[in-house]
Amino acid sequence: MPALHIGIAGAGLLGRLAAWALATQGHRVEVFDPAPGPAPLFNGQGAAGFTAAGMLSPVAERESADAALADLGWRSIALWERLSQALHAQAQVHETPDAPLFTRQGSLLVAHGPDLGAARRVLARLDDGTLPSERQPQHLPVDTLHGLEPELHGSSGPLHAWLLPGEAHIDTVRTLTALHATATATGRVQWHWGQTVGSVRPGQLDAMHGTQRFDTVLDVRGTGARPDCAVRGVRGELVWLHAPGVRLSRPVRLLHPRHRVYIVPRPGERILVGASEVESEDRSPMSLRSAVELMAAAHSVLPALAEARIDRLDVNLRPALPDHHPEVHHAPGLLRLNGLYRHGWLLAPALLDQALRDSALAPDGLPG
């Protein structure tokens, strides 16, 4: 197809993925975003994709999502495996260059002894009888868990644990950085930072310097898409820890009657600790209660974190629609994707790949 002039409203995960994909198809791309630049802000005002642990957990997410979203998640894992290799090679990742952007070693669910009943209820929701045997949670005896993650054990007794095979995790900050660098390197992408998009219509978007016209426009603004989209913000919170000497190979979710706390390894001796969601559009700094509960829960299953140092407490808003399902809307001159909720990294590649194919903007889908 002939090269098009394409405008993208939003430079988060979807915007950067789309810019790279469309530029590799030969299109000329302009991206508009209110952030001052491509780097993470960690102040609640930047792209929500930076404030994410990057857990790619289609089975674990079945607790709050349906089977169709899980199927998209498995497709995304396969895409991320391919995309991350291309990104790592093309972007020449300099920070921790030997560390992969994507790791697929499964994930773990763990529970303290007194919480076994609550954990079993969660497991029953994850496997409704439709999971194939190779994706079903696998109960791990104590010695097997110790072999996988030697430093993972309960502060008051052995942990109950289950392995979710095939699940993965991705380094969100380094991947977003690599996406920007790789898209820029094509020579076909122009970034307009500090440019808030007020509204998006077929073939045009309204930015700070007036109406900009394009052959096609992509609206991937997340919570910034109001009032064009009935999206709301759901607060996400993340603790970044520097934990020299603490060994952890795969993501861990602590099953608790009141909390869902996850612990995710990062290169550079970092550990991320997060809470799944808070129904609030508050962008203020993390509260004392949230920080204490998150870190205490993580310490209860990973005692070696006792001497970890707190790098930062990060918050942001995830875009959610009323039914908690993503929206993909295609019309002549307009493609809109929004409402990825807490599943942004899990769903983005599969949704965007299909949308670009269906709209004929990128018949070959995502690059890599």
Side-chain angles (χ1 to χ4, degrees), residues 11-13 16 47 49-50 171-181 345:
L13 171 56
R16 296 182 193 210
F50 284 115
D171 189 327
T172 56
V173 173
R174 291 168 67 236
T175 299
L176 282 169
T177 301
L179 280 169
H180 173 264
W345 287 86

Side-chain angles (χ1 to χ4, degrees), residues 63 111-125 162 255-258 260:
E63 184 184 3
H112 293 288
D115 299 327
L116 179 58
R120 284 175 172 162
R121 288 190 291 273
V122 171
L123 289 164
R125 292 196 294 272
W162 297 265
L255 302 179
H256 183 277
R258 292 192 302 113
R260 294 293 178 268

Side-chain angles (χ1 to χ4, degrees), residues 84-98:
S84 63
Q85 294 173 357
L87 283 171
H88 201 285
Q90 294 178 32
Q92 298 181 347
V93 177
H94 297 296
E95 185 182 356
T96 56
D98 296 330

Side-chain angles (χ1 to χ4, degrees), residues 36 40-47 51 283-285 312-316:
L41 298 177
F42 300 122
N43 63 358
Q45 301 300 318
T51 308
R283 294 180 184 266
S284 66
R312 67 177 68 93
L313 304 177
D314 192 13
V315 301
N316 215 318

Side-chain angles (χ1 to χ4, degrees), residues 92-110:
Q92 298 181 347
V93 177
H94 297 296
E95 185 182 356
T96 56
D98 296 330
L101 296 174
F102 169 94
T103 304
R104 188 175 189 179
Q105 296 182 357
S107 67
L108 292 170
L109 302 176
V110 300

